[in-house]
Amino acid sequence: MPTIFDVANEAGFSPKTVSRVLNNEPTVKEETRAAVLAAIARLNYVPSQSARQMRTGQSNIIALISDEIATTPYALDMIRGAQAAAWKYGKLLTVINTEYDRHIEQRAFQLAREYRFDAVIYAAYYHREVHLIESLPDIPLVLLDCYEKSGQLSSVVPNEVQGGFDATNLLVQRGHRRIGFITYNEPIPATLGRFNGYVKALEFNGIAFDPSLVGEEDGQATGGYRGALALLQRDDRPTALFCWNDRIAMGAYDAIRKLGLSIPEDVAVMGFDNQELIASQLHPALTTMQLPHYEMGMWAVEHLFEQSSDVRQDAGSHPVNHKIECYVVERESI
């Protein structure tokens, strides 16, 4: 492959001048720049990234290390958002999916050091607390859809409380006063946050919280089916169901039909996550809350560069725990 010395000989300038053109230095005369660029085109010269890395100390690569988001359809938006932001800064995003294997995760962090990646984003499949095997004191690190209790690392997560509030409040605005909530039976941040949002929305609208209208299930369609049957066979059944996720809502649809009820005429149904393969394909299509995966991915990269274009110098110096709002995707189920 042609080298920078070949380009210099072809253009009739020194390698140093060619380097100044490649670095887009403003002091280069336009006629010199044109001659060098023409030589580059004739030789089909591609600058050596490894040589540039040796000069600048930057690889122009950001690693996104995750447990399993690369294999999860609705979490792929996190990768898309991070990639879009990285490209804006002229950086390449590389994704390492660990499949919850601690050895792969540890090796991924080692590779980040060995290849001198500019930054690392550590992403989780769902909003949760993480315990990293090792920190990267010499490489900026931001957490995506997860957090550490220490608060020493910047993180971005969905605003679960606001999402639960807005979902419930929308049902109240549509005239519902008895709103059942089929929630998840594991105490993760999304469970606690969405439940708190549900209670806050009821209080905000002057509706007394009734714990008997809350059912805890396993987060799957089978759990939604069981939870909906239990709530809707009461004499004072709710007129609306807020479901912790779209899979629960899918099961609730089956229970509603088994009882001979109609959606939304007899029972309104509200989901959460906007898992497209479920929400848009149900009949009627499911109104749900969109998790801001794309926006969170973008924020993670933007945060690394918000202080300066030199990511090594400034990013991560002031840890921030940022929450991004979920938003309603309204369809036909309410």
Side-chain angles (χ1 to χ4, degrees), residues 236-247:
D236 57 348
R237 63 177 175 82
T239 62
L241 295 177
F242 171 28
C243 299
W244 185 81
N245 68 10
D246 294 344
R247 293 189 297 276

PDB file of all heavy atoms in Angstrom, residues 236-247:
ATOM      1  N   ASP A 236     -66.258  -5.361  41.529  1.00  0.00           N
ATOM      2  CA  ASP A 236     -65.929  -3.946  41.298  1.00  0.00           C
ATOM      3  C   ASP A 236     -64.675  -3.846  40.433  1.00  0.00           C
ATOM      4  O   ASP A 236     -63.710  -3.177  40.785  1.00  0.00           O
ATOM      5  CB  ASP A 236     -65.715  -3.222  42.628  1.00  0.00           C
ATOM      6  CG  ASP A 236     -64.635  -3.881  43.479  1.00  0.00           C
ATOM      7  OD1 ASP A 236     -64.225  -5.027  43.144  1.00  0.00           O
ATOM      8  OD2 ASP A 236     -64.176  -3.264  44.454  1.00  0.00           O
ATOM      9  N   ARG A 237     -64.689  -4.541  39.315  1.00  0.00           N
ATOM     10  CA  ARG A 237     -63.497  -4.626  38.475  1.00  0.00           C
ATOM     11  C   ARG A 237     -63.037  -3.245  38.007  1.00  0.00           C
ATOM     12  O   ARG A 237     -63.854  -2.327  37.839  1.00  0.00           O
ATOM     13  CB  ARG A 237     -63.770  -5.511  37.263  1.00  0.00           C
ATOM     14  CG  ARG A 237     -64.832  -5.008  36.303  1.00  0.00           C
ATOM     15  CD  ARG A 237     -64.935  -5.946  35.103  1.00  0.00           C
ATOM     16  NE  ARG A 237     -66.017  -5.575  34.206  1.00  0.00           N
ATOM     17  CZ  ARG A 237     -65.930  -4.621  33.272  1.00  0.00           C
ATOM     18  NH1 ARG A 237     -64.815  -3.937  33.133  1.00  0.00           N
ATOM     19  NH2 ARG A 237     -66.973  -4.349  32.499  1.00  0.00           N
ATOM     20  N   PRO A 238     -61.744  -3.098  37.753  1.00  0.00           N
ATOM     21  CA  PRO A 238     -61.231  -1.843  37.210  1.00  0.00           C
ATOM     22  C   PRO A 238     -61.685  -1.644  35.765  1.00  0.00           C
ATOM     23  O   PRO A 238     -61.970  -2.610  35.046  1.00  0.00           O
ATOM     24  CB  PRO A 238     -59.715  -2.010  37.296  1.00  0.00           C
ATOM     25  CG  PRO A 238     -59.490  -3.483  37.300  1.00  0.00           C
ATOM     26  CD  PRO A 238     -60.676  -4.081  37.995  1.00  0.00           C
ATOM     27  N   THR A 239     -61.729  -0.394  35.335  1.00  0.00           N
ATOM     28  CA  THR A 239     -62.086  -0.085  33.945  1.00  0.00           C
ATOM     29  C   THR A 239     -60.851   0.087  33.075  1.00  0.00           C
ATOM     30  O   THR A 239     -60.969   0.265  31.856  1.00  0.00           O
ATOM     31  CB  THR A 239     -62.934   1.189  33.873  1.00  0.00           C
ATOM     32  OG1 THR A 239     -62.169   2.290  34.367  1.00  0.00           O
ATOM     33  CG2 THR A 239     -64.210   1.029  34.693  1.00  0.00           C
ATOM     34  N   ALA A 240     -59.685   0.080  33.713  1.00  0.00           N
ATOM     35  CA  ALA A 240     -58.437   0.225  32.963  1.00  0.00           C
ATOM     36  C   ALA A 240     -57.345  -0.576  33.656  1.00  0.00           C
ATOM     37  O   ALA A 240     -57.344  -0.729  34.880  1.00  0.00           O
ATOM     38  CB  ALA A 240     -58.027   1.694  32.873  1.00  0.00           C
ATOM     39  N   LEU A 241     -56.413  -1.098  32.858  1.00  0.00           N
ATOM     40  CA  LEU A 241     -55.267  -1.826  33.382  1.00  0.00           C
ATOM     41  C   LEU A 241     -53.979  -1.149  32.911  1.00  0.00           C
ATOM     42  O   LEU A 241     -53.783  -0.940  31.711  1.00  0.00           O
ATOM     43  CB  LEU A 241     -55.271  -3.279  32.900  1.00  0.00           C
ATOM     44  CG  LEU A 241     -56.415  -4.176  33.368  1.00  0.00           C
ATOM     45  CD1 LEU A 241     -56.276  -5.555  32.736  1.00  0.00           C
ATOM     46  CD2 LEU A 241     -56.435  -4.284  34.890  1.00  0.00           C
ATOM     47  N   PHE A 242     -53.134  -0.811  33.866  1.00  0.00           N
ATOM     48  CA  PHE A 242     -51.789  -0.339  33.553  1.00  0.00           C
ATOM     49  C   PHE A 242     -50.865  -1.538  33.738  1.00  0.00           C
ATOM     50  O   PHE A 242     -50.772  -2.103  34.827  1.00  0.00           O
ATOM     51  CB  PHE A 242     -51.405   0.820  34.474  1.00  0.00           C
ATOM     52  CG  PHE A 242     -49.963   1.254  34.383  1.00  0.00           C
ATOM     53  CD1 PHE A 242     -49.222   1.085  33.212  1.00  0.00           C
ATOM     54  CD2 PHE A 242     -49.343   1.856  35.469  1.00  0.00           C
ATOM     55  CE1 PHE A 242     -47.889   1.483  33.130  1.00  0.00           C
ATOM     56  CE2 PHE A 242     -48.016   2.278  35.405  1.00  0.00           C
ATOM     57  CZ  PHE A 242     -47.294   2.076  34.239  1.00  0.00           C
ATOM     58  N   CYS A 243     -50.201  -1.946  32.670  1.00  0.00           N
ATOM     59  CA  CYS A 243     -49.348  -3.132  32.704  1.00  0.00           C
ATOM     60  C   CYS A 243     -47.880  -2.737  32.748  1.00  0.00           C
ATOM     61  O   CYS A 243     -47.446  -1.852  32.003  1.00  0.00           O
ATOM     62  CB  CYS A 243     -49.612  -4.008  31.475  1.00  0.00           C
ATOM     63  SG  CYS A 243     -51.322  -4.608  31.389  1.00  0.00           S
ATOM     64  N   TRP A 244     -47.113  -3.399  33.588  1.00  0.00           N
ATOM     65  CA  TRP A 244     -45.715  -3.049  33.832  1.00  0.00           C
ATOM     66  C   TRP A 244     -44.872  -3.112  32.558  1.00  0.00           C
ATOM     67  O   TRP A 244     -43.936  -2.351  32.393  1.00  0.00           O
ATOM     68  CB  TRP A 244     -45.132  -3.978  34.892  1.00  0.00           C
ATOM     69  CG  TRP A 244     -43.739  -3.640  35.304  1.00  0.00           C
ATOM     70  CD1 TRP A 244     -43.344  -2.691  36.192  1.00  0.00           C
ATOM     71  CD2 TRP A 244     -42.548  -4.271  34.821  1.00  0.00           C
ATOM     72  NE1 TRP A 244     -41.967  -2.689  36.292  1.00  0.00           N
ATOM     73  CE2 TRP A 244     -41.454  -3.652  35.468  1.00  0.00           C
ATOM     74  CE3 TRP A 244     -42.290  -5.308  33.912  1.00  0.00           C
ATOM     75  CZ2 TRP A 244     -40.135  -4.027  35.243  1.00  0.00           C
ATOM     76  CZ3 TRP A 244     -40.974  -5.672  33.683  1.00  0.00           C
ATOM     77  CH2 TRP A 244     -39.911  -5.040  34.341  1.00  0.00           C
ATOM     78  N   ASN A 245     -45.205  -4.020  31.661  1.00  0.00           N
ATOM     79  CA  ASN A 245     -44.527  -4.044  30.359  1.00  0.00           C
ATOM     80  C   ASN A 245     -45.494  -4.560  29.292  1.00  0.00           C
ATOM     81  O   ASN A 245     -46.639  -4.939  29.584  1.00  0.00           O
ATOM     82  CB  ASN A 245     -43.232  -4.866  30.405  1.00  0.00           C
ATOM     83  CG  ASN A 245     -43.456  -6.355  30.614  1.00  0.00           C
ATOM     84  OD1 ASN A 245     -44.577  -6.856  30.545  1.00  0.00           O
ATOM     85  ND2 ASN A 245     -42.383  -7.084  30.875  1.00  0.00           N
ATOM     86  N   ASP A 246     -45.042  -4.549  28.055  1.00  0.00           N
ATOM     87  CA  ASP A 246     -45.913  -4.927  26.944  1.00  0.00           C
ATOM     88  C   ASP A 246     -46.215  -6.420  26.924  1.00  0.00           C
ATOM     89  O   ASP A 246     -47.263  -6.844  26.431  1.00  0.00           O
ATOM     90  CB  ASP A 246     -45.267  -4.511  25.615  1.00  0.00           C
ATOM     91  CG  ASP A 246     -45.154  -3.002  25.472  1.00  0.00           C
ATOM     92  OD1 ASP A 246     -45.835  -2.284  26.224  1.00  0.00           O
ATOM     93  OD2 ASP A 246     -44.381  -2.540  24.609  1.00  0.00           O
ATOM     94  N   ARG A 247     -45.310  -7.247  27.458  1.00  0.00           N
ATOM     95  CA  ARG A 247     -45.591  -8.690  27.506  1.00  0.00           C
ATOM     96  C   ARG A 247     -46.739  -8.976  28.474  1.00  0.00           C
ATOM     97  O   ARG A 247     -47.596  -9.820  28.187  1.00  0.00           O
ATOM     98  CB  ARG A 247     -44.326  -9.455  27.912  1.00  0.00           C
ATOM     99  CG  ARG A 247     -43.219  -9.399  26.869  1.00  0.00           C
ATOM    100  CD  ARG A 247     -42.092 -10.346  27.205  1.00  0.00           C
ATOM    101  NE  ARG A 247     -41.421 -10.018  28.453  1.00  0.00           N
ATOM    102  CZ  ARG A 247     -40.452  -9.118  28.584  1.00  0.00           C
ATOM    103  NH1 ARG A 247     -40.042  -8.434  27.525  1.00  0.00           N
ATOM    104  NH2 ARG A 247     -39.884  -8.889  29.750  1.00  0.00           N
TER     105      ARG A 247
END
